[in-house]
Amino acid sequence: MSLTAPAGNAASPETLSPEALARATGEAMYSTDRASQWLGMELQEVRPGYARMTMRVRDEFLNGHAICHGGLMFTLADSTFAFACNSYNINTVAAGCSIEFLKPVSGGDTLTAEAQEQLLSGRHGIYDIRVTNSAGEVVAMFRGKSAQIKGSVI
């Protein structure tokens, strides 16, 4: 899915539908997210409270056991969390998170992380991120707590 807005779309954030605002926010964030880009993460979809990203497991992502380093799986989940919790165009950061690694991942596999908002109350939110391999098997579960701060993304 391309998140690029149509050429000539000069709508202000206040006039966009929630879905269009989420896409525009995701596109703006991704354009400056050098870490996610460098790791080869691709932003597939963003909507209010939801994001999906993919990342191919390159050889340099493998640890001493020849499986994907947990820190890189964490980074994919964390980036996906960031896109989901910023989808309302309010600057939002992680206040805490945890991950459970459930299954090893081989080099060459493609991981998909899907973040889903579980609760948004005041300035705080809870998001669950499911990371799956190419076979659709859950390889990790990540839970993040978000905190809104001053400012907007776009």
Side-chain angles (χ1 to χ4, degrees):
M1 169 182 190
S2 172
L3 296 177
T4 305
N9 184 359
S12 69
E14 297 79 24
T15 63
L16 296 174
S17 70
E19 292 76 17
L21 180 61
R23 285 191 303 274
T25 300
E27 181 182 274
M29 282 182 58
Y30 187 82
S31 73
T32 59
D33 186 345
R34 298 184 55 149
S36 293
Q37 292 175 25
W38 182 68
L39 290 168
M41 293 179 198
E42 295 181 14
L43 183 59
Q44 301 292 319
E45 183 179 0
V46 180
R47 55 183 192 258
Y50 173 90
R52 184 178 72 241
M53 297 185 83
T54 58
M55 179 180 76
R56 188 180 149 278
V57 180
R58 304 188 314 232
D59 286 343
E60 58 269 30
F61 292 3
L62 303 180
N63 64 19
H65 299 291
I67 58 175
C68 185
H69 192 291
L72 290 160
M73 293 168 61
F74 181 98
T75 302
L76 173 63
D78 187 46
S79 288
T80 309
F81 167 47
F83 284 98
C85 66
N86 279 278
S87 63
Y88 300 105
N89 195 33
I90 300 169
N91 284 339
T92 305
V93 297
C97 51
S98 64
I99 193 166
E100 303 294 327
F101 300 108
L102 305 171
K103 196 169 183 119
V105 175
S106 301
D109 205 345
T110 298
L111 296 174
T112 299
E114 286 188 276
Q116 182 65 56
E117 181 179 279
Q118 301 301 311
L119 173 73
L120 186 58
S121 179
R123 295 179 39 239
H124 299 279
I126 301 290
Y127 293 77
D128 286 337
I129 298 80
R130 176 185 301 257
V131 182
T132 57
N133 62 17
S134 296
E137 301 167 314
V138 178
V139 298
M141 288 296 299
F142 175 109
R143 174 163 273 193
K145 179 182 178 189
S146 67
Q148 294 176 348
I149 59 175
K150 291 182 181 178
S152 59
V153 177
I154 57 175

